[in-house]
Amino acid sequence: MFGPRTWGAGRRMLQVIDCHAAGEPARVVLGGLPRVPGTTMLEKREHMRDHMDALRKLLLLEPRGYPCQNANFVFPSEHPEADFGFVIAEQGRIYPMMSGHNAMCVVTALLETGMVPMCEGPTTCFGLESPAGIIAVEAECDAGRVASITLRNQPAFCRPRDLDVEIDVPQYGKVCVSLAYGGMHYAIVDAASVGLRLEASRAREICRLGEMIKIATREQHPVTHPELDYTGPDILVFREASAEEEPAVAGARLGAGTIVPALGGGAAADAQARGFVEAAGGMQAREPHRVLPPVRARNAVVMSNGELDWTRPETWTGMIDRREAAEDE
């Protein structure tokens, strides 16, 4: 168990760097951790969740933390394709298998502290072990700073039984929800289907409804990972189609679920959409890349039916108008 003996007789002192990715914070712990049993990040995650949750509370709850904060515990990796790995901890005792913004913050901390050397060329490539598996990293660096990061994530997926599920939300009514896994379990809702416009001025209203839908979904249609000890959903995603999407396709739904991107607009054009992510405790996630894994999972369904071009990336705009692109392979 985690307690005073874990640390020895000295003071508790962690080496921490606070980072953010497009405004979404992450606290990266690079040193000072007590010994955590396990040879893989998955095993370390399970031990920290079950026996060392006081560390998460120490970093995320007041007075040292705040509701939007996340934590990442960095360890040497025993995997042959990675030098380092990390365990993610979020509010509500959630320990995700993978998180895009947390991975980006860990990569930035490792590179800018010199724990992972930057290559002489503009691109530094290395493997990072997450509880979900190895994440391939490509980081564009300039003058000792990280300028941009590309991640090759572990596969996202969804199951037919988790698509277009009707959820009865107390004090609201019936809502159509699709659930997908992309490192966390996401509940995805077409914003127009619940009468929402994804505007920053309506963030409080969107967060409140999102939390209501997420809790009702967790009670009425819980999901589990087929191979791992991981249940959900954890995150609620509202998706809003852009004006560039063709009406004929933008109106097409599997049932009444998430709108799929249009195929028109030319081969070079990207499908564009706006996303709003409601995270643990009714908080708005600021960065758009939280929505990319469930979008890829949802797209896998329509792609398998030949309804979406595999080669065409989809660009997502968050509520603060930062854009990120996802490509499926």
Side-chain angles (χ1 to χ4, degrees), residues 263 299-310:
L263 298 180
N299 284 353
V301 177
V302 294
M303 285 175 177
S304 67
N305 295 328
E307 299 174 23
L308 188 62
D309 184 355
W310 282 89

Side-chain angles (χ1 to χ4, degrees), residues 67 91-92 113 126 141 159 186 220-221 226 229 268 281 309 322 328:
Q91 302 288 355
T113 60
F126 63 98
C141 303
R159 292 167 291 204
Y186 296 80
Q220 298 171 34
H221 193 87
D229 179 18
D309 184 355
R322 292 185 183 269
D328 290 285

Side-chain angles (χ1 to χ4, degrees), residues 53-290:
D53 192 53
L55 274 172
R56 181 191 63 83
K57 294 178 179 179
L58 178 74
L59 294 167
L60 301 190
L61 303 185
E62 293 183 353
R64 299 171 188 86
Y66 57 99
C68 240
Q69 188 59 276
N70 306 270
N72 298 274
F73 303 102
V74 176
F75 302 95
S77 175
E78 298 185 26
H79 195 286
E81 299 178 19
D83 290 328
F84 292 96
F86 69 116
V87 172
I88 312 156
E90 299 192 355
Q91 302 288 355
R93 200 172 174 267
I94 296 173
Y95 287 78
M97 295 294 176
M98 172 56 188
S99 164
H101 103 271
N102 281 295
M104 291 180 183
C105 289
V106 169
V107 168
T108 301
L110 288 173
L111 287 169
E112 295 193 2
T113 60
M115 293 176 68
V116 172
M118 291 184 184
C119 295
E120 293 184 4
T123 304
T124 300
C125 301
F126 63 98
L128 184 66
E129 184 187 356
S130 74
I134 296 296
I135 308 301
V137 177
E138 294 182 9
E140 302 293 327
C141 303
D142 182 49
R145 302 297 297 273
V146 176
S148 67
I149 296 170
T150 300
L151 304 175
R152 185 180 297 275
N153 205 345
Q154 289 289 310
F157 66 85
C158 57
R159 292 167 291 204
R161 67 175 180 269
D162 296 328
L163 294 174
D164 301 323
V165 179
E166 187 176 85
I167 301 296
D168 189 4
V169 182
Q171 303 179 38
Y172 181 83
K174 297 187 184 303
V175 175
C176 187
V177 177
S178 291
L179 297 106
Y181 171 83
M184 303 177 77
H185 291 290
Y186 296 80
I188 311 166
V189 177
D190 173 15
S193 72
V194 291
L196 286 179
R197 293 283 301 177
L198 300 187
E199 301 169 348
S201 61
R202 303 184 67 179
R204 186 183 299 274
E205 172 192 356
I206 298 171
C207 280
R208 178 177 178 274
L209 178 58
E211 186 73 358
M212 292 167 61
I213 296 172
K214 183 176 67 180
I215 291 173
T217 303
R218 194 179 293 154
E219 292 173 349
Q220 298 171 34
H221 193 87
V223 288
T224 59
H225 194 283
E227 299 176 352
L228 305 172
D229 179 18
Y230 193 53
T231 60
D234 315 291
I235 302 289
L236 191 287
V237 179
F238 287 113
R239 183 186 185 277
E240 183 177 83
S242 71
E244 287 93 347
E245 293 186 8
E246 282 189 11
V249 180
R253 295 177 173 84
L254 300 178
T258 306
I259 297 173
V260 302
L263 298 180
D270 292 349
Q272 297 186 15
R274 180 179 292 272
F276 184 102
V277 180
E278 183 273 316
M283 298 297 297
Q284 174 193 350
R286 295 169 173 83
E287 89 296 1
H289 44 257
R290 267 188 190 265

